[in-house]
Amino acid sequence: MKRAEGNFLMATRIRTDYANRIFKPSLVATAIDEVAFKGFRQFRIVQEFPFDLSDTEAAETLEQWLDSEQFHYTWRPTYIEQDACRPQVSTEYPELTITW
């Protein structure tokens, strides 16, 4: 295995583990209940890291659960805030927004 391949696999494993943590249906259900109790009609899963996790197995499992519970959802672009001292880079990643 070449170093690039090993690094790719390591990054993939970390992203998969992260997706498994934040897209767990039971945790999302609890978070939805908490914001609905406060009167809100949407919940956005705010990611700590700017990864596109929309095609992970955990995201697909959550989408299936959301469909079965008749929630609406969309993957909205999130833009990384740029440092004024660095060159501008167009960097965005999707975050999941759930509505009811």
Side-chain angles (χ1 to χ4, degrees), residues 1-17:
M1 178 184 318
K2 297 290 183 180
R3 171 162 267 167
E5 182 183 3
N7 288 345
F8 178 84
L9 293 173
M10 181 173 32
T12 299
R13 182 177 46 86
I14 295 297
R15 290 172 184 230
T16 299
D17 291 346

Side-chain angles (χ1 to χ4, degrees), residues 11-32:
T12 299
R13 182 177 46 86
I14 295 297
R15 290 172 184 230
T16 299
D17 291 346
Y18 182 56
N20 289 339
R21 283 196 319 267
I22 66 171
F23 296 141
K24 192 175 292 186
S26 61
L27 295 178
V28 173
T30 300
I32 289 171

Side-chain angles (χ1 to χ4, degrees), residues 26-40:
S26 61
L27 295 178
V28 173
T30 300
I32 289 171
D33 289 347
E34 289 175 2
V35 297
F37 183 74
K38 294 177 183 176
F40 295 99

Side-chain angles (χ1 to χ4, degrees), residues 33-79:
D33 289 347
E34 289 175 2
V35 297
F37 183 74
K38 294 177 183 176
F40 295 99
R41 292 186 178 170
Q42 73 173 13
F43 174 68
R44 184 174 192 153
I45 299 177
V46 179
Q47 296 177 200
E48 182 179 357
F49 304 107
F51 302 145
D52 180 354
L53 303 175
S54 62
D55 61 350
T56 61
E57 188 175 318
E60 291 174 14
T61 300
L62 179 59
E63 288 175 350
Q64 291 171 2
W65 178 81
L66 292 168
D67 288 336
S68 73
E69 296 296 322
Q70 299 181 344
F71 286 103
H72 304 282
Y73 59 90
T74 187
W75 291 93
R76 297 195 184 268
T78 301
Y79 300 93

